[in-house]
Amino acid sequence: MSVSKVLHGRGTNVRVSEETAAVIRKVAADLEYRPNVLARNLRTRKTRTIGVVFDEIPQFSGIVRYFSDLLSGVTSAAFANNYSITLCNSLIGPSSQDRLFDGRFDGLLWVRMTDDNTVLRQASQARLPVVVFNEKTSEDPPNHSFVSWQNNAAAQAVAEHLKRLGHSRVAFVTGERSIRNPEATLRQNFFVRAWRSYGGEIRTEDLLLWSETAENFSAWWQKQTGVTALVVWSESLAIMTLEQARLTGVQVPRDLSVVGFDSSVQCDLTQPKLTAAHQPIREMAVQATNHLIQRIESPGTGPQHFVFPSVLDVRESTARPLNAEKSL
Amino acid sequence: MSVSKVLHGRGTNVRVSEETAAVIRKVAADLEYRPNVLARNLRTRKTRTIGVVFDEIPQFSGIVRYFSDLLSGVTSAAFANNYSITLCNSLIGPSSQDRLFDGRFDGLLWVRMTDDNTVLRQASQARLPVVVFNEKTSEDPPNHSFVSWQNNAAAQAVAEHLKRLGHSRVAFVTGERSIRNPEATLRQNFFVRAWRSYGGEIRTEDLLLWSETAENFSAWWQKQTGVTALVVWSESLAIMTLEQARLTGVQVPRDLSVVGFDSSVQCDLTQPKLTAAHQPIREMAVQATNHLIQRIESPGTGPQHFVFPSVLDVRESTARPLNAEKSL
DNA sequence: CTGAAAGCGCTTACAG
DNA sequence: CTGAAAGCGCTTACAG
């Protein structure tokens, strides 16, 4: 009926007299009438809801800050456009995958942390716009959008920084729980390539895989010789590494330099402050969300790939190695 | 039709032959049939979705850890029961308040951070079960459940700890952005009472209100005399205070003791490690969510008030004051 | 310009 | 035991 038209002000052409409209509005207010959103959604086939899919909801404190920055960006962009955000876990039971495609979402924001992209492929068959928050790999379906970061440039900046300081042999640390995150692999590969291109040395035995608490540090330090800098794949693991170094009595950066990725305000609270490559996660999340909304509302909009710039924040955890030769 | 019955296994009484059922299932699988959840929700008047309402989505890093622990608990409890979680902001525009009550949620989990409870009262008129994550105050509507924490016992433990160490005059710090959080006020009041009951001194001028970065520390330190310990209302503000103390050249705990609330793993990463009262946020969130689901599914269940115990984690940021008299 | 009617896709009470 | 039909509460195309 025309009640609908009045209440939602679809009055491009006035179809009810102003008096009638006023009456309708008054009655609606008196009854505290609220349109049922379920009925509307069913009718319009839209929900104004975005599913944010995590491969894992952070249980360990490491990715908490990443997760929060991301969510902060997503929610503010979504709310500004009157969209709601529903949190999903891609791994809960087989039926729950269907729950991603049963009409409840207008689009998905996929926070990828593993290389298993079976569900992601399902998503590309459902006609749902998807934005993936991760690097695009060759095995990803073509109709998704991607928001990523200059991992290569960041790895090069780290390599150059260490080389300038006079380091010659370094190690790269990945977290056990991140081993299947394409971004972790990429960073390692990019860094190794960059480091060697600068004439640096990195041995296979120095590609380390540590638990998320970095408790392996002490044992590693006992038996290692010749490595003067540690490049750690993420900020959180780097922070844990600093802590373990302190417990072990290793002075950073005098005895060992440490660099991380994903630099954030947390890096200013460690001691020494952590040198790290900065990833603007919140801005990336805002961009991803806005782009997703655009794809939802203008179905013509094709998939896109956004790559955000990296900046190396040099703080206190890197220095010349003890027996440094002349730098480059 | 009976397709519905077959697919959802509502087969208490067999209403279709097994063969027919098999055919139905096969066809459904072939067509990749997925029941539309919007239609089902409309029909059943249930959404299996919980709205998690924040007065503010954390933009400043302070409450990020709190927020993440909470969300981790909420999501795991909700997912385990096949519920979805939608994030909401209570403050976005007037219309968005209606969006909380327009049928999209089966229940609300209200993370309160302010004493403005107008929307909370609205919620009590809508017939929606609500669980509030905060202290219950006398002005709160009676039909909500509450999940809170022994703020009083925690305040007393902090007071006793400081008194035992030999402190006699202390200050209490609240964050500017938390001034309207009932929990912040309560902690201050409880602490002041406990401290005085132990014979300690706390002056009105020593009830401090600092920005969330604790940058006020330095100015305060210049002109203050006689305060030997700082009780900080939250963990995050306490961590910032430690950092500012370090920048100012104040040695904690030699020159000044610092205690916080909401102790978490973060307290082990500061230097010195932060003494703080522990609040089991994740467990509280799990409890709150399970209780909410119970109220949703058994409408007879009345509102309840859960109070979680507090434990004081004594770490390194508290010590005897320099000119300590004999302790109690 | 307006109002009555169709239909979104389910579930379930009901008639056969 | 089964199938056809009503109805959840909206929005919008359509007839008057």
Side-chain angles (χ1 to χ4, degrees):
Chain A
M1 31 186 162
S2 46
V3 169
S4 174
K5 289 162 199 157
V6 172
L7 290 176
H8 304 308
R10 296 281 146 65
T12 36
N13 38 357
V14 187
R15 313 186 58 154
V16 183
S17 75
E18 222 359 273
E19 300 157 43
T20 320
V23 171
I24 291 174
R25 271 190 282 264
K26 175 158 186 359
V27 172
D30 288 352
L31 295 177
E32 297 198 356
Y33 168 79
R34 288 183 221 298
N36 181 297
V37 76
L38 302 180
R40 177 175 30 225
N41 288 349
L42 177 59
R43 181 58 232 248
T44 59
R45 316 199 61 84
K46 293 205 176 72
T47 61
R48 294 196 83 86
T49 301
I50 292 171
V52 182
V53 186
F54 294 88
D55 289 319
E56 49 186 323
I57 297 288
Q59 305 294 356
F60 58 103
S61 72
I63 59 176
V64 154
R65 204 258 326 152
Y66 178 91
F67 176 77
S68 302
D69 280 1
L70 192 143
L71 234 37
S72 162
V74 172
T75 49
S76 68
F79 292 167
N81 290 283
N82 246 283
Y83 276 73
S84 292
I85 289 301
T86 296
L87 300 184
C88 309
N89 185 319
S90 71
L91 302 179
I92 296 238
S95 64
S96 74
Q97 302 176 354
D98 291 344
R99 296 179 69 187
L100 296 174
F101 314 120
D102 61 8
R104 73 181 68 203
F105 300 129
D106 287 349
L108 296 178
L109 188 62
W110 200 283
V111 183
R112 170 155 71 179
M113 296 178 176
T114 159
D115 59 355
D116 179 358
N117 60 3
T118 50
V119 189
L120 208 50
R121 279 164 180 282
Q122 280 193 310
S124 88
Q125 268 142 34
R127 311 178 141 275
L128 217 50
V130 176
V131 176
V132 181
F133 209 79
N134 202 277
E135 280 282 345
K136 178 167 170 53
T137 75
S138 54
E139 280 157 36
D140 288 320
N143 55 341
H144 294 336
S145 293
F146 288 80
V147 173
S148 68
W149 181 63
Q150 290 185 340
N151 280 296
N152 196 4
Q156 283 195 35
V158 170
E160 188 188 334
H161 173 64
L162 291 177
K163 199 63 199 172
R164 253 183 218 288
L165 286 171
H167 293 270
S168 57
R169 185 168 153 225
V170 303
F172 191 100
V173 186
T174 305
E176 274 172 3
R177 305 188 61 164
S178 307
I179 186 62
R180 304 196 58 196
N181 186 330
E183 216 159 331
T185 318
L186 265 179
R187 285 181 191 172
Q188 177 180 303
N189 293 347
F190 282 142
F191 176 76
V192 169
R193 200 167 63 196
W195 185 242
R196 289 184 175 149
S197 81
Y198 283 114
E201 178 183 9
I202 183 163
R203 305 183 186 171
T204 314
E205 69 203 72
D206 295 333
L207 301 177
L208 308 170
L209 188 61
W210 288 359
S211 82
E212 259 62 25
T213 55
E215 62 200 354
N216 316 57
F217 178 87
S218 177
W220 170 78
W221 179 257
Q222 305 297 323
K223 62 170 208 265
Q224 83 85 21
T225 53
V227 169
T228 56
L230 228 41
V231 181
V232 186
W233 98 275
S234 74
E235 171 201 74
S236 60
L237 188 55
I239 290 176
M240 299 312 267
T241 301
L242 283 185
E243 170 68 6
Q244 291 297 326
R246 203 169 60 84
L247 291 174
T248 312
V250 175
Q251 290 211 20
V252 175
R254 203 202 56 179
D255 303 335
L256 181 71
S257 286
V258 176
V259 201
F261 286 82
D262 300 341
S263 170
S264 81
V265 60
Q266 295 277 344
C267 297
D268 279 317
L269 294 176
T270 58
Q271 218 170 348
K273 295 180 181 174
L274 182 70
T275 295
H278 178 67
Q279 184 171 13
I281 295 169
R282 191 171 188 282
E283 289 86 329
M284 290 165 69
V286 168
Q287 172 79 275
T289 307
N290 285 334
H291 172 64
L292 179 57
I293 291 173
Q294 202 192 345
R295 285 193 66 187
I296 290 169
E297 299 188 344
S298 324
T301 316
Q304 277 185 257
H305 188 174
F306 301 93
V307 182
F308 280 70
S310 98
V311 178
L312 182 64
D313 293 332
V314 177
R315 297 195 184 82
E316 306 167 348
S317 66
T318 44
R320 306 179 64 80
L322 274 182
N323 314 328
E325 309 155 24
K326 271 276 180 244
S327 65
L328 292 175
Chain B
M1 31 184 163
S2 46
V3 170
S4 174
K5 289 161 197 155
V6 171
L7 290 176
H8 303 307
R10 295 282 146 66
T12 36
N13 38 359
V14 187
R15 314 190 55 158
V16 182
S17 74
E18 220 2 271
E19 300 156 41
T20 319
V23 171
I24 290 174
R25 272 190 281 265
K26 175 155 184 1
V27 172
D30 288 351
L31 295 176
E32 298 199 354
Y33 168 79
R34 290 184 219 298
N36 180 297
V37 76
L38 302 180
R40 177 173 32 223
N41 287 349
L42 177 61
R43 179 61 231 244
T44 60
R45 317 200 58 87
K46 292 203 177 71
T47 61
R48 292 195 86 84
T49 301
I50 292 170
V52 181
V53 186
F54 294 89
D55 289 318
E56 50 186 321
I57 297 288
Q59 305 294 357
F60 58 104
S61 74
I63 60 176
V64 154
R65 203 259 326 151
Y66 178 91
F67 176 79
S68 303
D69 280 3
L70 193 144
L71 234 36
S72 163
V74 171
T75 49
S76 69
F79 292 166
N81 290 284
N82 245 282
Y83 277 74
S84 293
I85 289 302
T86 296
L87 300 184
C88 309
N89 186 320
S90 71
L91 303 179
I92 295 239
S95 64
S96 75
Q97 303 178 353
D98 291 344
R99 295 178 70 187
L100 297 174
F101 314 121
D102 60 9
R104 72 181 68 202
F105 300 129
D106 287 349
L108 296 178
L109 188 63
W110 199 283
V111 183
R112 170 155 71 180
M113 295 177 178
T114 159
D115 60 355
D116 179 358
N117 60 3
T118 49
V119 189
L120 207 50
R121 280 165 180 282
Q122 280 193 310
S124 89
Q125 268 144 32
R127 311 178 141 277
L128 217 51
V130 176
V131 176
V132 181
F133 209 80
N134 201 277
E135 280 282 346
K136 178 167 167 52
T137 76
S138 54
E139 280 156 36
D140 287 321
N143 55 341
H144 294 335
S145 293
F146 287 81
V147 174
S148 67
W149 181 63
Q150 290 185 340
N151 280 296
N152 195 4
Q156 282 194 36
V158 170
E160 189 190 331
H161 173 65
L162 291 178
K163 199 64 200 172
R164 256 183 216 289
L165 286 171
H167 293 269
S168 57
R169 187 170 150 222
V170 304
F172 191 99
V173 187
T174 306
E176 273 172 3
R177 304 188 60 164
S178 308
I179 186 60
R180 303 195 59 193
N181 186 329
E183 218 160 329
T185 318
L186 266 177
R187 284 180 191 172
Q188 177 179 302
N189 293 347
F190 283 142
F191 177 76
V192 168
R193 201 166 64 194
W195 185 241
R196 289 185 176 149
S197 81
Y198 282 115
E201 177 185 8
I202 183 164
R203 305 184 186 172
T204 314
E205 69 204 69
D206 294 334
L207 302 178
L208 308 170
L209 188 61
W210 288 358
S211 82
E212 260 62 24
T213 54
E215 61 200 354
N216 317 57
F217 178 87
S218 177
W220 170 78
W221 179 257
Q222 304 299 324
K223 62 172 211 255
Q224 84 86 19
T225 54
V227 169
T228 55
L230 229 38
V231 181
V232 186
W233 99 274
S234 74
E235 172 201 74
S236 61
L237 187 55
I239 290 176
M240 297 312 268
T241 300
L242 284 185
E243 170 68 5
Q244 290 298 326
R246 201 169 60 83
L247 291 176
T248 312
V250 175
Q251 289 211 20
V252 175
R254 201 201 59 177
D255 303 334
L256 181 72
S257 286
V258 176
V259 201
F261 286 82
D262 300 341
S263 170
S264 81
V265 61
Q266 293 278 343
C267 297
D268 280 316
L269 295 176
T270 58
Q271 219 171 347
K273 296 180 180 174
L274 182 69
T275 295
H278 177 66
Q279 183 171 15
I281 294 169
R282 192 173 188 281
E283 290 87 329
M284 290 165 69
V286 169
Q287 171 81 271
T289 308
N290 285 334
H291 172 64
L292 179 58
I293 291 174
Q294 202 191 344
R295 286 192 66 187
I296 291 169
E297 300 188 344
S298 323
T301 317
Q304 277 185 259
H305 187 174
F306 301 92
V307 182
F308 279 70
S310 98
V311 178
L312 182 64
D313 293 333
V314 177
R315 296 195 185 82
E316 305 167 349
S317 66
T318 45
R320 305 178 64 80
L322 275 182
N323 313 328
E325 310 155 22
K326 271 275 180 244
S327 64
L328 290 176

